[in-house]
Amino acid sequence: MSEPREPGFSTLAIHAGAQPDPSTGARATPIYQTTSFVFDDVDHAASLFGLQAFGNIYTRIGNPTCAVLEERIAALEGGTAALAVASGHAAEHLVFHTLLSPGDEFIAARQLYGGSVNQFGEAYKKFGWNVVWADIDDISSFENAVSDKTKAIFIESIANPGGAITDIEAISKIAKKAGVPLIVDNTMASPYLCQPFKHGADIIVHSATKFLGGHGNSIGGLIVDGGTFDWSAPGKYPSLSEPCASYQGMVLYETFGNFAFAIACRVLGLRDLGPALSPFNAFMLLTGIETLPLRMQRHSDNALKVAEYLKAHPKVDYVNYSGLEGDKYNEAAKKYCPKGAGAVFTFGLKGGYDAGVALVSGVEMFSHLANIGDTRSLIIHPASTTHRQLTDEQKTKAGAGPEVVRLSIGIEEVADIIADLDQALEKI
Ligand SMILES: *Cc1c(COP(=O)(O)O)cnc(C)c1O
């Protein structure tokens, strides 16, 4: 007999976490659309509430459909455990709620999704959590930002919208030296294109709304625990290393070891803050993930052809796509995203702000909207929409200056995608 094979990525994308429903034989994962679950008896109930047994209590804290999604993403990312939540922002929020106390700091890349820039820079002030910005084009800015209050470092693998590829390994070294976890938002790459745990990440978050779901129909978020971080430093991460008042003094890191972070996000963060994923959305996201490898490859292949077309167009000033030979991030893309550089990139129009507005008005097949990671091709002019609330300086630093247009290339026929852009550029 040969050794059992480790299943490949495409197999895990379809099977990980799922099995035929034990009571009905249903092959697709059922939608367990229920708020609560009946206990076997009083002792069973007590052991569930005391975290002595794993099982279902109430859908705010866990649900069997959501659990399949959690196992699937943990398998695809190579983590120890995961937690499904209501949105990407909820995932980020529960991660920081688990890690930070008032007065603490974390370091985040400036080159982030605009919503995360707001969340970290504005909303978190109310919690007394302080973000210190660093620049992925200057790795030493991360090192210089470390202080004795630093509790985490947060980056995106491929930055939204600028498309910059972050040197995860270099920043992981800084995180290790500072004794803090590295959190990677892997939304833009998905685990098919980039595997942050292999490069030193400790925690991964996703907006499953984007490529994981992949069809532009469901909002969801995921947290994946890499199981790599030692939470035992006294007083540094009290949610993990100190006795927990609401669980009879249990110390989560002692009890749950290399998946304690995912447990803490669930039994403290999700339980008390409440952003649960609906079982229906978990089902939609699971269905999407089954075709993730096929879609991501097609997204990336199409995007490269569209980027090449735009680069040669006389009305286009520049194209920032790390998949293009000669791009500033091409070497990093080959290292971190060897199968392709993803669907999303930006380019600059020679005509500036007005040309950007004209282009989004002139497209026919492209949808003008604020999302990425749909099967459909999407277009947006960040300066007039997603990044409107930022100052001009913040816009440019985030890769969203007035001339910038962002595309999320879909999986339609690439000739049709190019033809649509061509006729819209003609009209400018
Ligand atoms: C969309 C997005 C988020 C936020 O996710 P939601 O599901 O919209 O809450 C976070 N990070 C990145 C990179 C995103 O693209």
Side-chain angles (χ1 to χ4, degrees):
M1 286 287 285
S2 54
E3 292 283 302
R5 276 177 57 80
E6 284 290 319
F9 189 92
S10 297
T11 305
L12 293 173
I14 293 169
H15 291 287
Q19 49 195 305
D21 183 52
S23 53
T24 62
R27 181 59 271 206
T29 298
I31 303 171
Y32 289 97
Q33 193 70 24
T34 180
T35 56
S36 16
F37 302 83
V38 176
F39 307 120
D40 298 345
D41 53 36
V42 173
D43 289 343
H44 177 226
S47 66
L48 289 175
F49 277 98
L51 300 182
Q52 279 99 22
F54 289 108
N56 299 304
I57 301 175
Y58 186 61
T59 285
R60 169 154 43 73
I61 306 165
N63 173 281
T65 313
C66 300
V68 176
L69 176 62
E70 288 158 354
E71 273 195 55
R72 180 134 340 146
I73 191 68
L76 292 176
E77 290 285 14
T80 51
L83 180 65
V85 295
S87 67
H89 266 4
E92 293 169 77
H93 190 55
L94 293 193
V95 164
F96 285 114
H97 179 259
T98 305
L99 296 177
L100 304 183
S101 301
D104 282 347
E105 291 177 1
F106 66 100
I107 302 167
R110 262 181 223 297
Q111 297 87 345
L112 289 186
Y113 170 64
S116 300
V117 174
N118 281 331
Q119 187 185 28
F120 298 171
E122 297 302 323
Y124 283 4
K125 284 183 192 157
K126 286 203 174 184
F127 300 98
W129 304 339
N130 303 311
V131 62
V132 182
W133 300 109
D135 189 333
I136 60 166
D137 291 327
D138 172 13
I139 295 293
S140 68
S141 67
F142 282 85
E143 194 146 28
N144 296 337
V146 174
S147 80
D148 57 5
K149 293 188 186 134
T150 307
K151 293 291 169 70
I153 299 181
F154 186 99
I155 57 175
E156 290 177 6
S157 47
I158 305 181
N160 179 1
I165 308 275
T166 310
D167 189 348
I168 302 173
E169 284 176 14
I171 296 174
S172 153
K173 283 191 192 127
I174 294 168
K176 287 200 166 63
K177 200 169 147 202
V180 303
L182 175 63
I183 307 157
V184 177
D185 180 336
N186 201 26
T187 299
M188 289 261 286
S190 89
Y192 176 74
L193 296 179
C194 179
Q195 302 246 300
F197 289 143
K198 293 194 178 137
H199 302 289
D202 299 293
I203 297 163
I204 292 173
V205 294
H206 277 284
S207 169
T209 312
K210 315 294 170 52
F211 294 99
L212 292 175
H215 296 70
N217 57 27
S218 309
I219 303 270
L222 294 159
I223 300 167
V224 192
D225 187 345
T228 42
F229 195 79
D230 180 348
W231 304 104
S232 61
K236 195 164 178 183
Y237 300 102
S239 296
L240 289 136
S241 66
E242 307 290 314
C244 208
S246 57
Y247 291 106
Q248 287 92 34
M250 180 183 275
V251 175
L252 295 180
Y253 187 44
E254 267 174 30
T255 308
F256 297 107
N258 71 356
F259 58 101
F261 182 78
I263 294 276
C265 289
R266 183 192 303 279
V267 304
L268 301 173
L270 187 57
R271 182 195 67 176
D272 295 344
L273 300 178
L277 182 67
S278 93
F280 181 79
N281 277 16
F283 172 83
M284 297 301 280
L285 298 172
L286 275 169
T287 305
I289 289 173
E290 292 183 9
T291 55
L292 179 72
L294 298 172
R295 286 186 291 102
M296 286 317 288
Q297 194 61 59
R298 176 71 168 255
H299 277 300
S300 295
D301 294 348
N302 280 0
L304 180 59
K305 289 188 188 126
V306 175
E308 281 164 351
Y309 156 79
L310 286 170
K311 205 173 171 194
H313 197 285
K315 289 184 182 169
V316 172
D317 191 12
Y318 59 87
V319 178
N320 288 327
Y321 184 55
S322 65
L324 285 173
E325 285 294 332
D327 186 86
K328 183 173 165 192
Y329 298 105
N330 189 243
E331 286 307 309
K334 284 180 181 152
K335 172 171 179 179
Y336 290 108
C337 304
K339 296 204 249 343
V344 180
F345 66 91
T346 56
F347 64 100
L349 286 161
K350 287 183 183 157
Y353 189 93
D354 294 340
V357 170
L359 185 71
V360 297
S361 312
V363 287
E364 286 165 5
M365 184 177 79
F366 270 82
S367 305
H368 176 209
L369 54 73
N371 191 23
I372 57 170
D374 197 320
T375 49
R376 288 155 272 262
S377 289
L378 314 176
I379 188 167
I380 200 160
H381 179 226
S384 60
T385 54
T386 49
H387 287 61
R388 199 187 185 97
Q389 68 280 11
L390 304 184
T391 64
D392 281 350
E393 197 200 345
Q394 282 176 319
K395 278 186 193 130
T396 304
K397 279 195 170 145
E403 77 292 357
V404 174
V405 174
R406 183 187 76 188
L407 302 178
S408 175
I409 299 300
I411 57 176
E412 303 100 333
E413 283 294 331
V414 70
D416 294 329
I417 300 172
I418 290 173
D420 191 26
L421 288 172
D422 204 57
Q423 64 79 27
L425 282 163
E426 196 63 30
K427 289 189 277 197
I428 295 179

